[in-house]
Amino acid sequence: MSATKAARERATIVDVARAAGVSRQTVSNVLNRPELVAAPTRDRVRQEIVRLGFAPNVAAQQLRRRRASAYGFEVNPSLVGKMGHILDGFLVELTTTAPGHQSHLVTFTADRDDVLAGYRQLLGTGLVDGFIVGDTRYGDPRPAWLVESGVPFVAFGRIWDLPALDQWVDVDGRAGMRTAVEHLLAEGYGSVAFLGWPVGSPAGDDRRQGWLDGLAGSTADTPSLVEESVQDLNRATCAAARLLERMGGAGAILCASDLLALGAMRAVRAAGLEPGSDIGVVGMDDSDVAEALELTSLRQPLREAAVAAWRILHGDPKGRAPALLAPTLIIRNSSTRSQEKKP
Amino acid sequence: MSATKAARERATIVDVARAAGVSRQTVSNVLNRPELVAAPTRDRVRQEIVRLGFAPNVAAQQLRRRRASAYGFEVNPSLVGKMGHILDGFLVELTTTAPGHQSHLVTFTADRDDVLAGYRQLLGTGLVDGFIVGDTRYGDPRPAWLVESGVPFVAFGRIWDLPALDQWVDVDGRAGMRTAVEHLLAEGYGSVAFLGWPVGSPAGDDRRQGWLDGLAGSTADTPSLVEESVQDLNRATCAAARLLERMGGAGAILCASDLLALGAMRAVRAAGLEPGSDIGVVGMDDSDVAEALELTSLRQPLREAAVAAWRILHGDPKGRAPALLAPTLIIRNSSTRSQEKKP
DNA sequence: TCGCAGAGTTGGAACGATCCAACCAGCCCG
DNA sequence: CGGGCTGGTTGGATCGTTCCAACTCTGCGA
């Protein structure tokens, strides 16, 4: 379907001007600076705009304004469909809130060899003004390059390498974990162990710290209550099993991700115990798996993150500040002692 | 970050022309119709393009060509994060393959009250030339409207209401189910029961038919081997339990979705049996849950679907045809009798 | 020798909006 | 009564590219 159907002529600003008996520029003013136009004129023009179904041509605006009002969003095949992948949800929330900022999003993929190629491309052709950068990691070349190039952007995830940069939004995993510990203690699980990722990942270390925060003041023997596993179900199950041995058939396991928590639930069942009534289990990210398996988890506030991202991108340069948002604890059977049985 | 940094001047086509000692138009020809330009001139111009880092301004092209080379993709908050939601994966594959078609994607959301509002908006401003429409359903007003408006589009999912339309790609759930039945029989499960959605959903009925196809020729008592459930874990578990009673502790359960399959696995375990070694279970969509729980499932060929979508959208109007793609059976422990145990 | 075809190249116009400077009328003030 | 100010409106120029028609030049056949 290469040829677009015989382009039904769309009304232009000149058509509106002629119909309303004013000049081109006045119509433009009605749209962009209505306070400059006398009320009767304004109304007449607005009426004609509606009548003719006029909508300004974006390409013409972009060309003249030298601004695309569009932002690039990188999507990466390797991450999709993985548990705990929340970038899609973030993209949706960004898209939902974009019209309020007279903006839209353009998706693109990274080049295998040159991470920055896609960014250069979109910028060089003027297709976008800036970017929303997800999956920030240690050694990420993108933030530095973007700053150096003077390109507007906001990161989803702290810019770990460059603490001086404040143009990011992130979820406060640490606070979330602390909340989870408090919940588990309040439920009466006695002790709370931690199943986390190996030390060295920024988000992982942050979450672990939240667990420690929650235990602060308690007399827990923390070193014996911690196990590590990479993001793999079987490894996680084994690690959780080791943890359970030391826990003596009681307590709760707080996990750095839903996948780890899934491993924990398996280990619990393998030990002849029941998640929830015997051993509390809590995950993080509130993935579809958590929902399906009645796993208590921490939900990321993606809507708020999107709103904050736009504020940082579009807001007053002075007024902007990094946004660290607290996740919400979604309590399900895996962390409830008195199980409500299902029909 | 409202003001873009003091716009480092990008090279324009005129700069290249001047540098190469040719006219504007010749540079344009080198880019768009190189066969018209003499080889030496062409090389000289190309050299200058590289030297100056020139990239044509997309807005100017869009304006002059009266074509955006962009397509709208609707994303819907209510579907994200649900099991079996594959539209995100499709979006990624579309994005990956877009540059090959000199196109890009713009995301947008539907209005609550007016489904078509977003489509009208993007089209009216000339931001996109057409759409990729996902989640087609019975009574979907979009295809008819798009056809009537003469807007190029391709649907992911058959256009059930308008069988005459051929501009769609879809996954052949029926063929997938048939394959799954054959696999289960080959594994020696004896009988294959079906856990599906209530009759009336197009995709669901299609999948059920595939199950029947697979059993054709066998002597199975199909009516007694079928149960229905809506897309809800507890309902699915109950339905699977009813099915198990009638199956007499042997056979396999083929499910219309991973969520239903998850319910089946639960019911199997609740009956003191083990998925795989005792009762085979197969789902559909190959979600992250399937991977995590070692559930055999059918993976949708999203890459191929994206390629086909672009072909239909951009291809020769005569040469295009609807694309019905077979999913791939991903065999895991839930449908393997001789379990390979993990470390 | 001239006309013609075709390859290669060129400049003007257009796409549809906004920026900018100028214009006009009315009013107030000196 | 003239000049400055202000609210409202206007037309020309411009953003960077492609479309289109016309131009030049070379070679060739009549």
XYZ file of all heavy atoms in Angstrom, chain A residues 12-13 25 28 32 57 64, chain C residues 15-21:
198
model
N -5.834 24.100 5.050
C -4.617 24.707 5.586
C -4.988 25.982 6.330
O -6.135 26.426 6.322
C -3.625 25.061 4.473
O -4.116 26.220 3.788
C -3.479 23.922 3.487
N -3.987 26.564 6.904
C -4.207 27.785 7.667
C -4.732 28.904 6.764
O -5.485 29.782 7.200
C -2.888 28.181 8.371
C -3.179 29.049 9.582
C -1.912 28.822 7.410
C -1.956 29.286 10.432
N -1.651 35.092 9.464
C -0.974 35.279 10.743
C -1.964 35.343 11.900
O -1.677 34.872 12.997
C -0.148 36.559 10.689
C 0.638 36.834 11.959
C 1.618 35.733 12.269
O 2.280 35.208 11.382
N 1.700 35.347 13.529
N -2.854 31.942 12.902
C -1.723 31.404 13.650
C -1.742 31.931 15.083
O -1.503 31.189 16.038
C -0.418 31.785 12.946
O 0.684 31.319 13.684
N -1.741 29.953 18.628
C -0.557 29.930 19.475
C -0.507 31.049 20.512
O 0.116 30.882 21.552
C 0.707 30.013 18.604
C 0.763 28.866 17.613
O 0.569 27.724 17.992
N 1.021 29.178 16.360
N -0.494 21.380 10.208
C 0.417 20.356 9.697
C 1.696 20.303 10.539
O 2.421 21.296 10.652
C 0.746 20.665 8.243
C 1.656 19.628 7.640
O 2.818 19.542 8.005
N 1.144 18.841 6.731
N 9.514 25.028 10.514
C 9.645 26.444 10.814
C 10.134 26.687 12.257
O 10.965 27.532 12.518
C 8.295 27.123 10.581
C 8.260 28.595 10.804
C 9.164 29.318 9.838
N 10.329 29.846 10.515
C 10.827 31.070 10.341
N 10.288 31.879 9.460
N 11.872 31.466 10.996
P 1.643 24.622 -2.809
O 0.408 24.234 -3.504
O 1.756 25.965 -2.199
O 1.925 23.591 -1.640
C 2.351 22.267 -1.849
C 3.052 21.780 -0.618
O 4.416 22.236 -0.655
C 2.492 22.372 0.670
O 1.521 21.472 1.196
C 3.706 22.488 1.584
C 4.902 22.328 0.660
N 5.894 23.446 0.684
C 7.253 23.154 0.841
O 7.597 21.972 0.961
N 8.148 24.168 0.852
C 7.737 25.432 0.710
N 8.660 26.390 0.718
C 6.353 25.739 0.544
C 5.480 24.732 0.539
P 0.083 22.053 1.635
O -0.785 20.882 1.885
O -0.336 23.102 0.700
O 0.374 22.761 3.032
C 0.750 21.972 4.130
C 1.227 22.865 5.242
O 2.408 23.582 4.812
C 0.236 23.950 5.672
O 0.164 23.943 7.075
C 0.858 25.229 5.152
C 2.327 24.897 5.290
N 3.209 25.716 4.481
C 2.936 26.317 3.280
N 3.946 26.994 2.795
C 4.952 26.829 3.734
C 6.283 27.323 3.748
O 6.855 28.025 2.919
N 6.978 26.897 4.888
C 6.446 26.115 5.866
N 7.259 25.820 6.891
N 5.195 25.645 5.865
C 4.522 26.041 4.774
P -1.048 24.580 7.872
O -1.684 23.515 8.629
O -1.822 25.409 6.939
O -0.315 25.630 8.835
C 0.263 25.255 10.038
C 1.706 25.718 10.123
O 2.259 25.953 8.821
C 1.940 27.030 10.853
O 1.997 26.766 12.243
C 3.314 27.447 10.338
C 3.401 26.766 8.964
N 3.429 27.694 7.842
C 2.416 27.990 6.980
N 2.750 28.834 6.026
C 4.079 29.121 6.294
C 5.022 29.953 5.661
N 4.739 30.678 4.558
N 6.256 30.021 6.194
C 6.519 29.303 7.279
N 5.724 28.471 7.963
C 4.514 28.429 7.417
P 1.872 27.976 13.281
O 1.683 27.372 14.592
O 0.907 28.964 12.769
O 3.317 28.641 13.202
C 4.438 27.905 13.656
C 5.680 28.769 13.535
O 5.794 29.254 12.174
C 5.677 30.009 14.426
O 6.990 30.166 14.927
C 5.277 31.123 13.468
C 5.927 30.657 12.170
N 5.299 31.153 10.918
C 6.090 31.792 9.998
O 7.274 31.999 10.152
N 5.426 32.212 8.853
C 4.084 32.039 8.555
O 3.608 32.444 7.502
C 3.326 31.347 9.576
C 1.867 31.110 9.358
C 3.950 30.938 10.695
P 7.313 31.152 16.108
O 8.141 30.387 17.059
O 6.079 31.818 16.560
O 8.235 32.247 15.405
C 9.468 31.843 14.835
C 10.113 33.022 14.123
O 9.360 33.323 12.933
C 10.150 34.307 14.958
O 11.450 34.862 14.853
C 9.084 35.193 14.316
C 9.104 34.715 12.871
N 7.798 34.866 12.152
C 7.774 35.437 10.874
O 8.823 35.831 10.363
N 6.583 35.553 10.237
C 5.467 35.112 10.809
N 4.325 35.250 10.121
C 5.474 34.526 12.110
C 6.651 34.420 12.739
P 11.938 36.011 15.778
O 13.380 35.783 16.002
O 11.013 36.143 16.930
O 11.763 37.297 14.861
C 12.169 37.245 13.492
C 11.641 38.450 12.766
O 10.310 38.177 12.272
C 11.528 39.706 13.636
O 12.304 40.729 13.047
C 10.033 40.030 13.652
C 9.550 39.361 12.371
N 8.124 38.967 12.370
C 7.332 39.234 11.245
O 7.848 39.794 10.267
N 6.031 38.874 11.256
C 5.510 38.268 12.329
N 4.219 37.921 12.291
C 6.299 37.990 13.490
C 7.596 38.353 13.473
P 12.711 42.003 13.895
O 14.188 42.025 13.942
O 11.907 42.058 15.136
O 12.232 43.164 12.931
C 12.316 42.958 11.528
C 11.221 43.737 10.836
O 9.952 43.053 10.999
C 11.020 45.153 11.394
O 10.966 46.042 10.297
C 9.710 45.068 12.168
C 8.963 43.999 11.368
N 7.936 43.284 12.128
C 8.002 42.838 13.416
N 6.918 42.221 13.829
C 6.077 42.258 12.727
C 4.782 41.773 12.508
N 4.064 41.127 13.425
N 4.239 41.989 11.285
C 4.950 42.629 10.370
N 6.185 43.131 10.448
C 6.693 42.911 11.667
